Amino acid sequence: VGSHRSAGTAAGPKRGSLIVVGTGYLVGGMVPLLARDAIAQAEKLLCSVGDPITQHWLASLNPTAESLNDAYAPGKPRRETYREMAERILAPVRQGKRVCAAFYGHPGILVDPSHLAMRQARQEGYPARMLPGISAEDCLWVDLGLDPSDHGWQSFEATDFLVHRRGHDSRSHLVLFQIGSIGVGVYLQRPLWSRRGLKVLMEVLLESYPPQHEVVVYQAALLPVLQTRLDRLPLGKLARAEVNVASTLYVPPLAPAPRDAVMAARLGIG
Ligand SMILES: C[S@@+](CC[C@H](N)C(=O)[O-])C[C@H]1O[C@@H](n2cnc3c(N)ncnc32)[C@H](O)[C@@H]1O
């Protein structure tokens, strides 16, 4: 790091820079204009997206495109993969290039390598910026036809939700990411990484909801030709549901929250 620092000049920041963008879902159909410009104008584009068509689209916008996904390997700890990805993003920044890193969905939601690369680039004195993208959760509200502010909502990464026993309000919407890889720290080459974790999740949710409470296993379409999946099922059947590592769980509110008349009066809306 010390030697990179010395590459800066008194005239200003070093020339290398990093911009991190999201590709949303649907092959670039959800890429904001600013992000599209950053993708096209980068001197080096590094990407981690979920399907070859989006990868192809990125390469058509910028021929320097290189996928980071070969850093995944069966049985390899994902933390190690993320560190490697961050290093691969930083290498051309250190060579003085304008680098763009593109990740599917929102690039800052549940994406360790983007945050690692941003932090490290800034620590080394390079300008680094992230643009917001469209996350799976954004798509979920649209596909369910819901305004989450109706009851308020909480979202958690599923393993984090369980291990930290996060409290949540069952009268609000609940969204759980990564229900297909609960408790698994390595990369596995199969659709569902832990049925055992899914069963534990079901058991914990049954502490707050009845078994017949309808939940939705959600999977946004990656390509315009594919169907979005909204599998509705009773919570009590979640452990045996068809879930994969791209599934997100939606749990609707159990009941409306009672209105606090004293509070309403205090606010002058009683
Ligand atoms: C590593 S996170 C990436 C999230 C992504 N950055 C975003 O903003 O949507 C992976 C998790 O995102 C969710 N996810 C990814 N692809 C999805 C899809 N096509 N439909 C619904 N959820 C998805 C799942 O919960 C999955 O386990």
Side-chain angles (χ1 to χ4, degrees):
V1 172
S3 62
H4 297 301
R5 281 211 178 103
S6 65
T9 67
K14 291 169 269 185
R15 197 179 148 261
S17 65
L18 174 63
I19 184 156
V20 178
V21 302
T23 61
Y25 293 86
L26 291 179
V27 193
M30 298 181 182
V31 176
L33 283 176
L34 275 180
R36 196 190 154 106
D37 286 350
I39 290 167
Q41 289 162 13
E43 291 170 298
K44 179 69 188 170
L45 174 64
L46 292 142
C47 7
S48 178
V49 294
D51 68 279
I53 302 181
T54 304
Q55 179 65 36
H56 188 76
W57 175 75
L58 289 166
S60 74
L61 279 185
N62 187 326
T64 72
E66 176 185 327
S67 174
L68 295 166
N69 287 352
D70 55 3
Y72 288 111
K76 180 169 162 184
R78 296 208 309 281
R79 272 179 194 280
E80 196 180 313
T81 295
Y82 301 151
R83 276 196 298 269
E84 266 177 45
M85 287 181 168
E87 277 305 306
R88 279 170 67 177
I89 292 168
L90 286 162
V93 175
R94 291 170 181 146
Q95 288 163 7
K97 292 190 174 145
R98 257 182 299 115
V99 175
C100 177
F103 294 86
Y104 75 90
H106 183 303
I109 297 183
L110 276 161
V111 188
D112 286 4
S114 65
H115 288 288
L116 282 173
M118 289 279 298
R119 272 198 296 274
Q120 188 62 29
R122 284 180 174 158
Q123 218 173 329
E124 294 179 20
Y126 297 101
R129 181 179 181 207
M130 183 184 283
L131 298 177
I134 295 180
S135 78
E137 192 185 71
D138 298 317
C139 302
L140 178 140
W141 301 123
V142 171
D143 289 328
L144 288 173
L146 293 173
D147 181 338
S149 68
D150 282 348
H151 301 271
W153 77 103
Q154 288 176 284
S155 343
F156 301 94
E157 195 281 329
T159 303
D160 171 84
F161 176 76
L162 293 171
V163 168
H164 295 104
R165 280 291 193 168
R166 302 279 182 204
H168 81 286
D169 182 354
S170 59
R171 300 164 307 179
S172 298
H173 305 275
L174 175 66
V175 176
L176 293 169
F177 284 91
Q178 302 205 139
I179 59 166
S181 54
I182 293 173
V184 182
V186 297
Y187 175 81
L188 297 175
Q189 223 162 15
R190 54 180 200 233
L192 172 62
W193 292 4
S194 174
R195 189 153 295 276
R196 177 178 162 197
L198 191 62
K199 183 165 177 284
V200 174
L201 176 65
M202 180 187 79
E203 289 164 0
V204 168
L205 290 174
L206 284 171
E207 294 168 8
S208 308
Y209 305 89
Q212 66 276 17
H213 191 61
E214 186 183 86
V215 299
V216 181
V217 175
Y218 172 70
Q219 193 171 346
L222 282 188
L223 309 176
V225 291
L226 298 179
Q227 291 279 321
T228 285
R229 285 184 56 183
L230 289 165
D231 297 346
R232 295 175 191 274
L233 62 145
L235 174 60
K237 293 199 170 157
L238 180 64
R240 280 173 286 129
E242 211 181 300
V243 164
N244 64 50
V245 284
S247 305
T248 297
L249 184 70
Y250 167 68
V251 184
L254 194 51
R259 189 175 163 93
D260 181 338
V262 175
M263 177 58 75
R266 201 171 150 194
L267 296 172
I269 54 174

